[in-house]
């Protein structure tokens, strides 16, 4: 009997020690994540290392430490720790670990190997937004716009809530000369991420694409690559030159261009062209109006089945003005001021955006 009690007591001690250790590991990881999110990457790593001393097999600690090393630009350690996660076959962390290691490899000038690794990740994990996005990003860095568009389009199909994919899509479409589609990929990005530094730059490039502002000799700074390279594409032509007007997916882009030029000429005659925000709202409305007339001639495609109907619904709603203010808060100080002074309209738009057309304003 005494022997049985001793065994039971020993089991309880081991069990509660295991629980205590697990709780300590989770606490250290949470503390490390908070430090990481505060850009205290070295301090975060120390927390993760403490967690690994308690449980060397904690895949979450290994994954988080790889992220912190990536932020520190210590690519060898980022690759080292993410490799351990990949080899563990942890389903929850596998895609993220492939993304970390591929980014580390790309930064070490191994872009082709990074792409091959991500393809392996797709075979192992199946379709993943994160893996497709990173493949697209690496092809973009290589200047392969067709493959960029292929994979970023798939990433968007898998998850329409990530702003970065829409921004990369907008860049690639513009470089490919798909300037109409690029405009609304920029706007989807700005809806999801309206107030960051890259939002301001994206809005500037969108205005250039819409011919509202002239294309500058020095390109607008882009995200994802350290230095934007000028590409010999129609997207980088001066404003006075005509963008590609060939029919694309059934859309006669000449009609869109003519609507923009007509709107700009009319505003110039009225001496309103100096108000860039006002010009933007008018040109954007003119483009959407042309698309509405042309929709019957247009073949199926993700732009016409997802993007266009969404923006058409905004144009035909009571929220068009609010929408224009919302996506331009990083660019126009008056848009931010409007947003702060019109809380009710702002909240109604957000509710409408999040809940769809069936939302009824109270």
């Amino acid at each position: 009997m005494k022997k049985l009690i001793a065994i039971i007591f020993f089991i309880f001690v081991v069990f509660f020690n295991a629980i205590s250790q697990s709780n300590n590991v989770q606490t250290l990881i949470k503390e490390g994540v908070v430090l990481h999110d505060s850009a205290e990457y070295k301090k975060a790593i120390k927390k993760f290392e403490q967690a690994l001393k308690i449980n060397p097999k904690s895949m979450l600690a290994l994954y988080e430490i790889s992220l912190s090393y990536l932020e520190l630009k210590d690519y060898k350690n980022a690759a080292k720790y993410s490799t351990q996660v990949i080899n563990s076959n942890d389903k929850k962390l596998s895609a993220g670990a492939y993304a970390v290691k591929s980014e580390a490899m790309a930064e070490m000038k191994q872009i082709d190997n990074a792409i091959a690794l991500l393809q392996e990740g797709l075979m192992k994990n199946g379709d993943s937004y994160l893996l497709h996005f990173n493949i697209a990003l690496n092809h973009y860095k290589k200047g392969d716009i067709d493959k960029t568009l292929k994979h970023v389009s798939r990433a968007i199909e898998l998850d329409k809530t990530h702003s970065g994919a829409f921004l990369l899509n907008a860049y690639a479409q513009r470089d490919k000369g798909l300037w109409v589609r690029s405009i609304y990929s920029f706007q989807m990005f700005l809806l999801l991420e309206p107030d960051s530094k890259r939002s301001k730059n994206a809005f500037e490039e969108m205005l250039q694409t819409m011919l509202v502002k002239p294309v500058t000799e020095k390109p607008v700074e882009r995200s994802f690559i350290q230095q934007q390279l000028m590409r010999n594409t129609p997207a980088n032509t001066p404003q006075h030159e005509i963008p590609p007007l060939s029919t694309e997916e059934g859309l006669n882009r000449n009609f869109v261009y003519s609507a923009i030029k007509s709107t700009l000429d009319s505003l110039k005659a009225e001496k309103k062209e100096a108000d860039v925000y006002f010009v933007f709202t008018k040109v954007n409305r003119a483009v959407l109006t042309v698309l509405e007339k042309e929709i019957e001639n247009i073949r199926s495609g993700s732009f016409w089945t997802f993007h266009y109907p969404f923006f058409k619904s905004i144009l035909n709603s009571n929220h068009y003005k609010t929408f224009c203010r919302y996506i331009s808060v990083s660019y126009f100080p008056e848009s931010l001021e409007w947003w702060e002074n019109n809380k009710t309209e702002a909240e109604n738009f957000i509710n409408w955006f999040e809940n769809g057309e069936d939302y009824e304003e109270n």
Side-chain angles (χ1 to χ4, degrees):
M1 185 66 178
K2 288 182 179 179
K3 196 176 283 188
L4 178 61
I5 292 172
I7 292 171
I8 293 172
F9 178 75
F10 175 76
I11 291 172
F12 270 104
V13 169
V14 172
F15 176 72
F16 284 112
N17 279 342
I19 291 177
S20 177
Q21 285 189 348
S22 177
N23 289 338
N24 287 339
V25 168
Q26 293 303 316
T27 298
L28 287 167
I29 291 174
K30 286 179 181 178
E31 291 173 354
V33 169
V34 171
L35 289 167
H36 176 99
D37 291 344
S38 301
E40 298 280 356
Y41 304 120
K42 290 183 179 179
K43 291 181 180 178
I45 288 171
K46 288 183 179 179
K47 291 289 183 181
F48 301 137
E49 286 175 340
Q50 289 175 34
L52 287 171
K53 285 181 181 178
I54 299 171
N55 180 10
K57 295 182 179 180
S58 172
M59 290 303 112
L60 184 57
L62 289 168
Y63 175 66
E64 292 293 347
I65 204 170
S66 74
L67 286 173
S68 292
Y69 274 121
L70 189 64
E71 291 293 343
L72 287 171
K73 302 187 186 327
D74 185 341
Y75 302 121
K76 288 185 178 180
N77 270 320
K80 170 188 170 183
Y81 284 99
S82 57
T83 298
Q84 292 181 55
V85 180
I86 289 170
N87 292 340
S88 75
N89 294 315
D90 187 305
K91 294 297 182 183
K92 291 182 179 179
L93 299 174
S94 180
Y98 271 104
V100 171
K101 184 175 180 180
S102 68
E103 187 172 343
M105 293 172 71
E107 292 293 340
M108 292 188 288
K109 312 301 181 186
Q110 301 173 32
I111 291 183
D112 288 333
N113 290 336
I115 292 172
L117 179 74
L118 289 163
Q119 293 285 5
E120 174 192 303
L122 282 176
M123 292 179 63
K124 187 174 178 179
N125 295 284
D127 261 350
S128 161
Y129 159 83
L130 189 59
L131 296 177
H132 278 291
F133 174 73
N134 279 275
I135 292 173
L137 188 57
N138 281 306
H139 281 303
Y140 176 68
K141 290 176 180 178
K142 289 183 64 177
D144 191 332
I145 301 303
D146 288 333
K147 288 183 179 177
T148 300
L149 286 169
K150 173 186 174 182
H151 286 281
V152 78
S153 295
R154 184 57 184 150
I156 290 171
E157 287 174 7
L158 292 167
D159 192 337
K160 294 180 173 64
T161 65
H162 288 268
S163 58
F166 286 105
L167 183 58
L168 180 58
N169 192 48
Y171 291 158
Q173 287 176 334
R174 187 166 188 241
D175 290 343
K176 184 71 174 176
L178 306 174
W179 55 281
V180 178
R181 286 199 273 171
S182 176
I183 290 169
Y184 294 103
S185 196
F186 274 124
Q187 292 191 19
M188 281 301 304
F189 162 73
L190 290 162
L191 266 172
L192 294 168
E193 189 181 314
D195 57 354
S196 65
K197 178 186 176 182
R198 65 180 186 174
S199 302
K200 185 175 182 179
N201 291 338
F203 198 90
E204 172 78 19
E205 187 165 346
M206 182 189 71
L207 291 179
Q208 293 180 3
T209 310
M210 298 174 76
L211 309 181
V212 173
K213 294 196 73 175
V215 174
T216 53
E217 184 175 347
K218 181 180 179 181
V220 179
E221 181 183 347
R222 287 183 171 183
S223 300
F224 307 121
I225 50 176
Q226 292 180 349
Q227 181 179 5
Q228 180 187 354
L229 301 176
M230 285 292 289
R231 294 187 177 90
N232 186 23
T233 67
N236 291 312
T237 55
Q239 182 179 9
H240 63 270
E241 292 189 19
I242 300 173
L245 301 181
S246 57
T247 299
E248 187 226 336
E249 291 184 339
L251 172 66
N252 187 333
R253 290 185 288 178
N254 187 53
F255 291 154
V256 179
Y257 175 75
S258 296
I260 292 174
K261 293 297 292 180
S262 176
T263 302
L264 292 174
D265 291 344
S266 176
L267 292 172
K268 186 175 181 179
E270 297 174 19
K271 298 182 179 180
K272 292 182 179 179
E273 77 278 8
D275 187 340
V276 178
Y277 172 78
F278 183 75
V279 175
F280 156 67
T281 64
K282 292 298 182 182
V283 168
N284 194 50
R285 183 182 291 275
V287 173
L288 286 170
T289 301
V290 170
L291 297 183
E292 189 169 13
K293 292 177 181 177
E294 285 292 292
I295 191 65
E296 292 182 2
N297 303 321
I298 294 169
R299 298 193 297 270
S300 62
S302 60
F303 177 83
W304 306 111
T305 57
F306 170 66
H307 291 76
Y308 166 71
F310 175 70
F311 288 107
K312 176 187 174 183
S313 67
I314 292 177
L315 180 65
N316 294 334
S317 72
N318 296 321
H319 302 288
Y320 180 69
K321 176 182 177 181
T322 311
F323 160 75
C324 291
R325 287 298 185 190
Y326 184 79
I327 67 171
S328 63
V329 293
S330 66
Y331 196 82
F332 299 110
E334 57 268 32
S335 289
L336 180 58
E337 183 180 354
W338 183 94
W339 198 254
E340 292 172 344
N341 294 333
N342 294 270
K343 296 293 186 183
T344 301
E345 289 183 57
E347 289 173 5
N348 285 338
F349 171 67
I350 291 172
N351 284 328
W352 178 87
F353 174 51
E354 292 179 349
N355 296 292
E357 295 181 34
D358 294 333
Y359 171 73
E360 294 182 5
E361 297 177 18
N362 296 320

